Amino acid sequence: MSVLPPLDVTRIRKDFPILERGMRGKRLAFLDSAASAQKPRPVIDTLSHVYSHEYANIHRGVYELSERATRRYEEAREKVAALLGAASPREIVFTRNATESINLVASSWGRQNVGEGDEILVTHMEHHANIVPWQLLCEERGAKLRVVPIDDDGALCMDELEKRIGPRTRLVSVVHVSNALGTINPVQDIVRIAHERGVPVLLDGAQSVPRMAVDVAALDCEFYVFSGHKLYGPSGIGVLYGKAELLEAMPPYQGGGEMIRTVSFEGSTWNDVPNKFEAGTPAIAEAIGLGAAVDYVRELGLERIARHEAELLDYGTERLLELPGLRLIGTAREKIGVLGFVVDGVHPHDLATILDQHGVAVRAGHHCAQPVMQRFGVPATTRASLGVYNDREDLDQLVEGVREAIEVFR
Ligand code: PMP
């Protein structure tokens, strides 16, 4: 078996211009990539190049610039399809973000397939983006949202998942990797269990796509969603993967230009997928920029990225646990590089403010996962999350900052 060389983080850091700037007179330790990742030079340059040399509206013009922009936009779709292992680029819909992708499915597929007394199954570790769209749908249709519990480590209770899939379950919608806990869910098993009962599955890949190789064909899930901005790409662009036969059967999400084939006052007909779901002028440069981000992570290698994070996660976990009164929230065996914690006597927001003085950027709050905070009986956590540019020095800076905060509040 060939051993892949580790990521060359010193070189990678040079790809991210923002890391050259200091923060409050210190080195910037950016540990908030789970919220949004920084952008490498190839992505920044692509955006600049598109606007300087290749920009025009797509799909409509017959002139060279429009054709070129259309080609680049569709190439980006092909790159995303290849990244996810989709059977065809037709299965890739560009949206604004993971949130909009889930709303699209809830609104279009949901209204068509969910009725009174039906159930949608989610888990206790979902991001609000995978809770609220289903609550809105359930309210409208008279359906019920059911929840799979998690254990004290933040791992999913798989036997409970099995028990909660019943004859009225219409969809299982689960996060692949939790943003608040770092837990990697056994999605292959989840899809198998749901399919054995004839239930389709949506996977929220907002945190997994930037961190591990994902293959939707092997997973066999019906829908998979993610956001470009967490994959080192631009904000304002997201992805919905859907199996072609499902997308084809679904009604439009929004109406307008581009999603139609014909329009008259008597009625309109719809474009083919995926264009049926891309009403209006899309985020053209952002999609092309996402294509550059896909190239970037594939060149680094998603397996190497996963290993890099796992190694840093072990180091960061060990170092943080040296600190008195610190408790990690999220200790599942299968975990990605998210370190959520609380410290006795120090409010997470005060902690994050002190860390900022140390040049350390972390997130404090409920991380759009309030049910997770309720499950662990805390109002908020401080969360350090890793990306390809992080190294042990970032984690040392974090630990020193937390140590000082503990001393200040003692
Ligand atoms: N799901 C998960 C697991 C997330 O971490 C996030 C972002 N924090 C989202 C969904 C929503 O992503 P976005 O805000 O880009 O739509």
Side-chain angles (χ1 to χ4, degrees), residues 34 97-99 127 129 175 177 179 204 206-207 227 229-230:
N97 46 36
T99 301
H127 186 280
V175 73
V177 169
N179 66 310
D204 172 0
Q207 297 296 342
S227 289
H229 68 96
K230 295 184 204 269

Side-chain angles (χ1 to χ4, degrees), residues 79-254:
K79 288 176 186 186
V80 171
L83 176 78
L84 294 182
S88 155
R90 292 175 57 236
E91 299 185 313
I92 303 299
V93 179
F94 282 131
T95 61
R96 277 191 304 131
N97 46 36
T99 301
E100 186 177 46
S101 299
I102 298 174
N103 276 279
L104 192 164
V105 176
S107 177
S108 165
W109 183 90
R111 286 204 179 114
Q112 195 177 47
N113 290 281
V114 177
E116 175 122 26
D118 286 340
E119 295 172 2
I120 305 283
L121 188 62
V122 296
T123 81
H124 210 119
M125 70 174 90
E126 300 307 320
H127 186 280
H128 298 163
N130 198 27
I131 300 174
V132 183
W134 305 117
Q135 283 178 327
L136 291 170
L137 177 71
C138 286
E139 212 166 285
E140 183 187 307
R141 312 303 289 185
K144 199 169 164 222
L145 191 67
R146 299 200 70 194
V147 183
V148 184
I150 55 178
D151 68 17
D152 291 342
D153 288 319
L156 197 61
C157 301
M158 286 297 283
D159 46 340
E160 296 295 329
L161 174 109
E162 224 163 326
K163 282 189 214 151
R164 278 167 171 74
I165 302 179
R168 301 307 301 267
T169 311
R170 290 289 165 263
L171 180 76
V172 173
S173 193
V174 175
V175 73
H176 189 163
V177 169
S178 157
N179 66 310
L181 300 163
T183 310
I184 304 173
N185 281 318
V187 285
Q188 191 82 69
D189 292 338
I190 292 171
V191 174
R192 181 182 48 75
I193 292 165
H195 283 183
E196 280 167 7
R197 290 152 180 82
V199 179
V201 178
L202 182 149
L203 296 174
D204 172 0
Q207 297 296 342
S208 44
V209 170
R211 301 191 156 81
M212 59 182 69
V214 170
D215 183 343
V216 290
L219 285 171
D220 199 30
C221 56
E222 277 61 35
F223 301 108
Y224 200 97
V225 309
F226 76 93
S227 289
H229 68 96
K230 295 184 204 269
L231 185 72
Y232 310 98
S235 54
I237 184 79
V239 168
L240 165 66
Y241 158 82
K243 283 185 180 171
E245 67 268 24
L246 273 88
L247 292 179
E248 273 157 14
M250 283 158 57
Y253 168 54
Q254 292 178 330

Side-chain angles (χ1 to χ4, degrees), residues 17-138:
I18 205 164
L19 298 178
E20 285 161 22
R21 59 159 298 164
M23 186 52 64
R24 301 192 182 278
K26 306 259 168 34
R27 171 183 182 273
L28 169 64
F30 187 79
L31 291 168
D32 196 22
S33 298
S36 199
Q38 297 297 348
K39 315 305 169 198
R41 188 59 81 191
V43 170
I44 299 168
D45 289 350
T46 297
L47 291 175
S48 167
H49 185 83
V50 168
Y51 284 125
S52 307
H53 302 285
E54 301 188 302
Y55 185 77
N57 209 336
I58 56 167
H59 291 145
R60 291 163 212 179
V62 291
Y63 53 93
E64 164 65 18
L65 265 186
S66 174
E67 284 174 359
R68 184 189 283 247
T70 305
R71 215 162 38 239
R72 298 287 314 272
Y73 181 82
E74 293 302 332
E75 275 167 14
R77 198 191 302 279
E78 287 164 20
K79 288 176 186 186
V80 171
L83 176 78
L84 294 182
S88 155
R90 292 175 57 236
E91 299 185 313
I92 303 299
V93 179
F94 282 131
T95 61
R96 277 191 304 131
N97 46 36
T99 301
E100 186 177 46
S101 299
I102 298 174
N103 276 279
L104 192 164
V105 176
S107 177
S108 165
W109 183 90
R111 286 204 179 114
Q112 195 177 47
N113 290 281
V114 177
E116 175 122 26
D118 286 340
E119 295 172 2
I120 305 283
L121 188 62
V122 296
T123 81
H124 210 119
M125 70 174 90
E126 300 307 320
H127 186 280
H128 298 163
N130 198 27
I131 300 174
V132 183
W134 305 117
Q135 283 178 327
L136 291 170
L137 177 71
C138 286

